[in-house]
PDB file of all heavy atoms in Angstrom:
ATOM      1  N   GLY J  89     -12.001  28.257  -8.536  1.00 97.00           N
ATOM      2  CA  GLY J  89     -12.792  27.825  -9.680  1.00 97.00           C
ATOM      3  C   GLY J  89     -13.788  28.854 -10.144  1.00 97.00           C
ATOM      4  O   GLY J  89     -14.604  28.574 -11.047  1.00 97.00           O
ATOM      5  N   GLN J  91     -15.494  32.275 -11.808  1.00 96.00           N
ATOM      6  CA  GLN J  91     -15.378  33.130 -12.991  1.00 96.00           C
ATOM      7  C   GLN J  91     -15.347  34.570 -12.499  1.00 96.00           C
ATOM      8  O   GLN J  91     -16.375  35.135 -12.129  1.00 96.00           O
ATOM      9  CB  GLN J  91     -16.542  32.890 -13.932  1.00 96.00           C
ATOM     10  CG  GLN J  91     -16.608  31.448 -14.453  1.00 96.00           C
ATOM     11  CD  GLN J  91     -17.988  31.059 -14.951  1.00 96.00           C
ATOM     12  OE1 GLN J  91     -18.962  31.760 -14.762  1.00 96.00           O
ATOM     13  NE2 GLN J  91     -18.055  29.908 -15.600  1.00 96.00           N
ATOM     14  N   PRO J 155     -18.995  27.896 -10.374  1.00 95.00           N
ATOM     15  CA  PRO J 155     -19.919  27.000 -11.078  1.00 95.00           C
ATOM     16  C   PRO J 155     -20.352  25.834 -10.193  1.00 95.00           C
ATOM     17  O   PRO J 155     -19.625  25.415  -9.257  1.00 95.00           O
ATOM     18  CB  PRO J 155     -19.114  26.488 -12.274  1.00 95.00           C
ATOM     19  CG  PRO J 155     -17.986  27.447 -12.422  1.00 95.00           C
ATOM     20  CD  PRO J 155     -17.680  27.966 -11.050  1.00 95.00           C
ATOM     21  N   ASP J 156     -21.529  25.307 -10.461  1.00 93.00           N
ATOM     22  CA  ASP J 156     -22.003  24.134  -9.751  1.00 93.00           C
ATOM     23  C   ASP J 156     -21.047  22.958  -9.957  1.00 93.00           C
ATOM     24  O   ASP J 156     -20.487  22.774 -11.047  1.00 93.00           O
ATOM     25  CB  ASP J 156     -23.402  23.727 -10.252  1.00 93.00           C
ATOM     26  CG  ASP J 156     -24.470  24.739  -9.890  1.00 93.00           C
ATOM     27  OD1 ASP J 156     -24.254  25.491  -8.905  1.00 93.00           O
ATOM     28  OD2 ASP J 156     -25.512  24.775 -10.569  1.00 93.00           O
ATOM     29  N   GLY J 157     -20.856  22.186  -8.903  1.00 93.00           N
ATOM     30  CA  GLY J 157     -20.023  20.987  -9.009  1.00 93.00           C
ATOM     31  C   GLY J 157     -18.553  21.219  -8.804  1.00 93.00           C
ATOM     32  O   GLY J 157     -17.765  20.261  -8.818  1.00 93.00           O
ATOM     33  N   VAL J 158     -18.129  22.479  -8.623  1.00 96.00           N
ATOM     34  CA  VAL J 158     -16.708  22.789  -8.422  1.00 96.00           C
ATOM     35  C   VAL J 158     -16.454  22.983  -6.945  1.00 96.00           C
ATOM     36  O   VAL J 158     -17.144  23.760  -6.261  1.00 96.00           O
ATOM     37  CB  VAL J 158     -16.320  24.053  -9.201  1.00 96.00           C
ATOM     38  CG1 VAL J 158     -14.892  24.489  -8.871  1.00 96.00           C
ATOM     39  CG2 VAL J 158     -16.450  23.814 -10.702  1.00 96.00           C
ATOM     40  N   LEU J 160     -12.988  23.437  -4.963  1.00 96.00           N
ATOM     41  CA  LEU J 160     -11.533  23.538  -4.905  1.00 96.00           C
ATOM     42  C   LEU J 160     -11.119  24.067  -3.538  1.00 96.00           C
ATOM     43  O   LEU J 160     -11.412  25.215  -3.198  1.00 96.00           O
ATOM     44  CB  LEU J 160     -11.021  24.456  -6.013  1.00 96.00           C
ATOM     45  CG  LEU J 160     -11.182  23.940  -7.434  1.00 96.00           C
ATOM     46  CD1 LEU J 160     -10.958  25.042  -8.441  1.00 96.00           C
ATOM     47  CD2 LEU J 160     -10.188  22.801  -7.692  1.00 96.00           C
ATOM     48  N   GLY J 205      -7.724  33.151 -15.242  1.00 97.00           N
ATOM     49  CA  GLY J 205      -9.097  32.650 -15.320  1.00 97.00           C
ATOM     50  C   GLY J 205      -9.365  31.766 -16.512  1.00 97.00           C
ATOM     51  O   GLY J 205     -10.033  30.721 -16.393  1.00 97.00           O
ATOM     52  N   GLY J 206      -8.867  32.113 -17.671  1.00 97.00           N
ATOM     53  CA  GLY J 206      -9.105  31.333 -18.882  1.00 97.00           C
ATOM     54  C   GLY J 206      -8.441  29.953 -18.811  1.00 97.00           C
ATOM     55  O   GLY J 206      -9.005  28.954 -19.250  1.00 97.00           O
ATOM     56  N   LEU J 207      -7.235  29.893 -18.233  1.00 98.00           N
ATOM     57  CA  LEU J 207      -6.557  28.623 -18.071  1.00 98.00           C
ATOM     58  C   LEU J 207      -7.339  27.708 -17.119  1.00 98.00           C
ATOM     59  O   LEU J 207      -7.501  26.509 -17.393  1.00 98.00           O
ATOM     60  CB  LEU J 207      -5.138  28.843 -17.538  1.00 98.00           C
ATOM     61  CG  LEU J 207      -4.320  27.603 -17.239  1.00 98.00           C
ATOM     62  CD1 LEU J 207      -4.113  26.756 -18.486  1.00 98.00           C
ATOM     63  CD2 LEU J 207      -2.965  27.965 -16.619  1.00 98.00           C
ATOM     64  N   VAL J 208      -7.832  28.272 -16.033  1.00 98.00           N
ATOM     65  CA  VAL J 208      -8.618  27.459 -15.081  1.00 98.00           C
ATOM     66  C   VAL J 208      -9.888  26.935 -15.753  1.00 98.00           C
ATOM     67  O   VAL J 208     -10.262  25.779 -15.573  1.00 98.00           O
ATOM     68  CB  VAL J 208      -8.937  28.280 -13.808  1.00 98.00           C
ATOM     69  CG1 VAL J 208      -9.916  27.527 -12.923  1.00 98.00           C
ATOM     70  CG2 VAL J 208      -7.656  28.595 -13.055  1.00 98.00           C
ATOM     71  N   GLU J 209     -10.548  27.760 -16.544  1.00 98.00           N
ATOM     72  CA  GLU J 209     -11.752  27.321 -17.266  1.00 98.00           C
ATOM     73  C   GLU J 209     -11.438  26.144 -18.167  1.00 98.00           C
ATOM     74  O   GLU J 209     -12.207  25.173 -18.260  1.00 98.00           O
ATOM     75  CB  GLU J 209     -12.335  28.464 -18.067  1.00 98.00           C
ATOM     76  CG  GLU J 209     -13.079  29.511 -17.246  1.00 98.00           C
ATOM     77  CD  GLU J 209     -13.780  30.533 -18.115  1.00 98.00           C
ATOM     78  OE1 GLU J 209     -14.065  30.202 -19.294  1.00 98.00           O
ATOM     79  OE2 GLU J 209     -13.999  31.652 -17.638  1.00 98.00           O
ATOM     80  N   ALA J 210     -10.285  26.204 -18.851  1.00 98.00           N
ATOM     81  CA  ALA J 210      -9.904  25.103 -19.746  1.00 98.00           C
ATOM     82  C   ALA J 210      -9.651  23.825 -18.951  1.00 98.00           C
ATOM     83  O   ALA J 210      -9.997  22.727 -19.415  1.00 98.00           O
ATOM     84  CB  ALA J 210      -8.659  25.487 -20.531  1.00 98.00           C
ATOM     85  N   MET J 211      -9.078  23.950 -17.770  1.00 98.00           N
ATOM     86  CA  MET J 211      -8.819  22.764 -16.942  1.00 98.00           C
ATOM     87  C   MET J 211     -10.137  22.188 -16.394  1.00 98.00           C
ATOM     88  O   MET J 211     -10.326  20.960 -16.404  1.00 98.00           O
ATOM     89  CB  MET J 211      -7.896  23.150 -15.797  1.00 98.00           C
ATOM     90  CG  MET J 211      -6.519  23.593 -16.252  1.00 98.00           C
ATOM     91  SD  MET J 211      -5.536  24.391 -14.942  1.00 98.00           S
ATOM     92  CE  MET J 211      -5.268  22.994 -13.844  1.00 98.00           C
ATOM     93  N   LEU J 212     -11.034  23.050 -15.964  1.00 98.00           N
ATOM     94  CA  LEU J 212     -12.297  22.573 -15.424  1.00 98.00           C
ATOM     95  C   LEU J 212     -13.190  21.972 -16.511  1.00 98.00           C
ATOM     96  O   LEU J 212     -14.071  21.143 -16.217  1.00 98.00           O
ATOM     97  CB  LEU J 212     -13.049  23.725 -14.728  1.00 98.00           C
ATOM     98  CG  LEU J 212     -12.459  24.193 -13.395  1.00 98.00           C
ATOM     99  CD1 LEU J 212     -13.147  25.435 -12.907  1.00 98.00           C
ATOM    100  CD2 LEU J 212     -12.538  23.105 -12.345  1.00 98.00           C
ATOM    101  N   ALA J 213     -12.975  22.365 -17.766  1.00 97.00           N
ATOM    102  CA  ALA J 213     -13.743  21.781 -18.845  1.00 97.00           C
ATOM    103  C   ALA J 213     -13.403  20.318 -19.043  1.00 97.00           C
ATOM    104  O   ALA J 213     -14.221  19.542 -19.553  1.00 97.00           O
ATOM    105  CB  ALA J 213     -13.483  22.575 -20.157  1.00 97.00           C
ATOM    106  N   VAL J 214     -12.202  19.919 -18.633  1.00 97.00           N
ATOM    107  CA  VAL J 214     -11.822  18.505 -18.704  1.00 97.00           C
ATOM    108  C   VAL J 214     -12.558  17.731 -17.617  1.00 97.00           C
ATOM    109  O   VAL J 214     -13.117  16.664 -17.854  1.00 97.00           O
ATOM    110  CB  VAL J 214     -10.291  18.337 -18.549  1.00 97.00           C
ATOM    111  CG1 VAL J 214      -9.916  16.872 -18.451  1.00 97.00           C
ATOM    112  CG2 VAL J 214      -9.569  19.037 -19.684  1.00 97.00           C
ATOM    113  N   THR J 215     -12.512  18.266 -16.389  1.00 97.00           N
ATOM    114  CA  THR J 215     -13.235  17.670 -15.259  1.00 97.00           C
ATOM    115  C   THR J 215     -13.429  18.723 -14.182  1.00 97.00           C
ATOM    116  O   THR J 215     -12.488  19.451 -13.874  1.00 97.00           O
ATOM    117  CB  THR J 215     -12.466  16.470 -14.660  1.00 97.00           C
ATOM    118  OG1 THR J 215     -13.136  16.016 -13.472  1.00 97.00           O
ATOM    119  CG2 THR J 215     -11.042  16.836 -14.297  1.00 97.00           C
ATOM    120  N   PRO J 216     -14.623  18.803 -13.601  1.00 96.00           N
ATOM    121  CA  PRO J 216     -14.808  19.744 -12.487  1.00 96.00           C
ATOM    122  C   PRO J 216     -14.198  19.199 -11.208  1.00 96.00           C
ATOM    123  O   PRO J 216     -14.106  19.911 -10.216  1.00 96.00           O
ATOM    124  CB  PRO J 216     -16.331  19.819 -12.356  1.00 96.00           C
ATOM    125  CG  PRO J 216     -16.836  18.515 -12.889  1.00 96.00           C
ATOM    126  CD  PRO J 216     -15.881  18.142 -13.982  1.00 96.00           C
ATOM    127  N   ASP J 217     -13.700  17.938 -11.244  1.00 95.00           N
ATOM    128  CA  ASP J 217     -13.181  17.315 -10.023  1.00 95.00           C
ATOM    129  C   ASP J 217     -11.684  17.548  -9.874  1.00 95.00           C
ATOM    130  O   ASP J 217     -10.917  16.636  -9.567  1.00 95.00           O
ATOM    131  CB  ASP J 217     -13.480  15.819 -10.028  1.00 95.00           C
ATOM    132  CG  ASP J 217     -13.170  15.161  -8.676  1.00 95.00           C
ATOM    133  OD1 ASP J 217     -13.282  15.861  -7.653  1.00 95.00           O
ATOM    134  OD2 ASP J 217     -12.795  13.973  -8.647  1.00 95.00           O
ATOM    135  N   LEU J 218     -11.235  18.772 -10.100  1.00 98.00           N
ATOM    136  CA  LEU J 218      -9.875  19.149  -9.660  1.00 98.00           C
ATOM    137  C   LEU J 218      -9.956  19.300  -8.123  1.00 98.00           C
ATOM    138  O   LEU J 218     -10.959  19.743  -7.597  1.00 98.00           O
ATOM    139  CB  LEU J 218      -9.466  20.474 -10.294  1.00 98.00           C
ATOM    140  CG  LEU J 218      -9.517  20.554 -11.817  1.00 98.00           C
ATOM    141  CD1 LEU J 218      -9.070  21.941 -12.267  1.00 98.00           C
ATOM    142  CD2 LEU J 218      -8.662  19.459 -12.456  1.00 98.00           C
ATOM    143  N   LEU J 221      -6.289  24.133  -6.449  1.00 98.00           N
ATOM    144  CA  LEU J 221      -5.523  25.081  -7.258  1.00 98.00           C
ATOM    145  C   LEU J 221      -4.940  26.141  -6.328  1.00 98.00           C
ATOM    146  O   LEU J 221      -5.626  26.571  -5.391  1.00 98.00           O
ATOM    147  CB  LEU J 221      -6.381  25.739  -8.328  1.00 98.00           C
ATOM    148  CG  LEU J 221      -7.004  24.859  -9.417  1.00 98.00           C
ATOM    149  CD1 LEU J 221      -7.815  25.719 -10.368  1.00 98.00           C
ATOM    150  CD2 LEU J 221      -5.933  24.085 -10.165  1.00 98.00           C
ATOM    151  N   VAL J 281      -4.371  17.150  -8.936  1.00 98.00           N
ATOM    152  CA  VAL J 281      -5.376  16.564  -9.839  1.00 98.00           C
ATOM    153  C   VAL J 281      -5.433  15.058  -9.610  1.00 98.00           C
ATOM    154  O   VAL J 281      -4.387  14.410  -9.503  1.00 98.00           O
ATOM    155  CB  VAL J 281      -4.978  16.851 -11.303  1.00 98.00           C
ATOM    156  CG1 VAL J 281      -6.012  16.268 -12.272  1.00 98.00           C
ATOM    157  CG2 VAL J 281      -4.834  18.355 -11.522  1.00 98.00           C
ATOM    158  N   HIS J 285      -7.271  11.778 -14.136  1.00 98.00           N
ATOM    159  CA  HIS J 285      -7.532  12.962 -15.002  1.00 98.00           C
ATOM    160  C   HIS J 285      -6.270  13.728 -15.357  1.00 98.00           C
ATOM    161  O   HIS J 285      -6.351  14.700 -16.146  1.00 98.00           O
ATOM    162  CB  HIS J 285      -8.514  13.909 -14.303  1.00 98.00           C
ATOM    163  CG  HIS J 285      -9.831  13.315 -13.961  1.00 98.00           C
ATOM    164  ND1 HIS J 285     -10.639  12.728 -14.898  1.00 98.00           N
ATOM    165  CD2 HIS J 285     -10.506  13.225 -12.786  1.00 98.00           C
ATOM    166  CE1 HIS J 285     -11.763  12.295 -14.333  1.00 98.00           C
ATOM    167  NE2 HIS J 285     -11.683  12.573 -13.038  1.00 98.00           N
ATOM    168  N   ALA J 288      -5.184  14.257 -19.168  1.00 98.00           N
ATOM    169  CA  ALA J 288      -6.114  15.078 -19.933  1.00 98.00           C
ATOM    170  C   ALA J 288      -6.034  16.527 -19.492  1.00 98.00           C
ATOM    171  O   ALA J 288      -6.095  17.465 -20.332  1.00 98.00           O
ATOM    172  CB  ALA J 288      -7.543  14.544 -19.791  1.00 98.00           C
ATOM    173  N   VAL J 289      -5.898  16.768 -18.198  1.00 98.00           N
ATOM    174  CA  VAL J 289      -5.779  18.141 -17.693  1.00 98.00           C
ATOM    175  C   VAL J 289      -4.489  18.774 -18.192  1.00 98.00           C
ATOM    176  O   VAL J 289      -4.472  19.928 -18.645  1.00 98.00           O
ATOM    177  CB  VAL J 289      -5.861  18.157 -16.177  1.00 98.00           C
ATOM    178  CG1 VAL J 289      -5.502  19.558 -15.651  1.00 98.00           C
ATOM    179  CG2 VAL J 289      -7.256  17.775 -15.691  1.00 98.00           C
ATOM    180  N   LEU J 290      -3.401  18.005 -18.168  1.00 98.00           N
ATOM    181  CA  LEU J 290      -2.124  18.524 -18.656  1.00 98.00           C
ATOM    182  C   LEU J 290      -2.194  18.868 -20.133  1.00 98.00           C
ATOM    183  O   LEU J 290      -1.665  19.906 -20.578  1.00 98.00           O
ATOM    184  CB  LEU J 290      -1.018  17.500 -18.390  1.00 98.00           C
ATOM    185  CG  LEU J 290       0.407  17.931 -18.737  1.00 98.00           C
ATOM    186  CD1 LEU J 290       0.836  19.125 -17.886  1.00 98.00           C
ATOM    187  CD2 LEU J 290       1.377  16.787 -18.538  1.00 98.00           C
ATOM    188  N   ALA J 291      -2.886  18.053 -20.908  1.00 98.00           N
ATOM    189  CA  ALA J 291      -3.037  18.340 -22.328  1.00 98.00           C
ATOM    190  C   ALA J 291      -3.841  19.612 -22.559  1.00 98.00           C
ATOM    191  O   ALA J 291      -3.505  20.430 -23.441  1.00 98.00           O
ATOM    192  CB  ALA J 291      -3.722  17.155 -23.040  1.00 98.00           C
ATOM    193  N   ALA J 292      -4.881  19.832 -21.757  1.00 98.00           N
ATOM    194  CA  ALA J 292      -5.659  21.061 -21.861  1.00 98.00           C
ATOM    195  C   ALA J 292      -4.833  22.275 -21.475  1.00 98.00           C
ATOM    196  O   ALA J 292      -4.967  23.349 -22.105  1.00 98.00           O
ATOM    197  CB  ALA J 292      -6.909  20.957 -20.955  1.00 98.00           C
ATOM    198  N   MET J 293      -3.960  22.128 -20.507  1.00 98.00           N
ATOM    199  CA  MET J 293      -3.077  23.223 -20.130  1.00 98.00           C
ATOM    200  C   MET J 293      -2.121  23.558 -21.267  1.00 98.00           C
ATOM    201  O   MET J 293      -1.904  24.712 -21.595  1.00 98.00           O
ATOM    202  CB  MET J 293      -2.320  22.866 -18.850  1.00 98.00           C
ATOM    203  CG  MET J 293      -3.219  22.709 -17.639  1.00 98.00           C
ATOM    204  SD  MET J 293      -2.360  22.008 -16.184  1.00 98.00           S
ATOM    205  CE  MET J 293      -1.437  23.444 -15.614  1.00 98.00           C
ATOM    206  N   ALA J 295      -2.586  23.269 -24.331  1.00 98.00           N
ATOM    207  CA  ALA J 295      -3.299  23.880 -25.437  1.00 98.00           C
ATOM    208  C   ALA J 295      -3.650  25.331 -25.171  1.00 98.00           C
ATOM    209  O   ALA J 295      -4.119  26.024 -26.094  1.00 98.00           O
ATOM    210  CB  ALA J 295      -4.560  23.087 -25.735  1.00 98.00           C
ATOM    211  N   HIS J 296      -3.454  25.808 -23.938  1.00 98.00           N
ATOM    212  CA  HIS J 296      -3.783  27.194 -23.579  1.00 98.00           C
ATOM    213  C   HIS J 296      -2.508  28.032 -23.587  1.00 98.00           C
ATOM    214  O   HIS J 296      -1.441  27.565 -23.166  1.00 98.00           O
ATOM    215  CB  HIS J 296      -4.452  27.244 -22.209  1.00 98.00           C
ATOM    216  CG  HIS J 296      -5.050  28.576 -21.884  1.00 98.00           C
ATOM    217  ND1 HIS J 296      -4.292  29.631 -21.394  1.00 98.00           N
ATOM    218  CD2 HIS J 296      -6.313  29.039 -21.976  1.00 98.00           C
ATOM    219  CE1 HIS J 296      -5.081  30.675 -21.198  1.00 98.00           C
ATOM    220  NE2 HIS J 296      -6.309  30.344 -21.549  1.00 98.00           N
TER     221      HIS J 296
END
Side-chain angles (χ1 to χ4, degrees):
Q91 298 159 349
D156 292 338
V158 173
L160 291 166
L207 177 61
V208 172
E209 285 187 24
M211 296 167 68
L212 288 172
V214 174
T215 174
D217 190 31
L218 305 179
L221 296 180
V281 181
H285 300 305
V289 170
L290 185 62
M293 295 170 76
H296 191 279

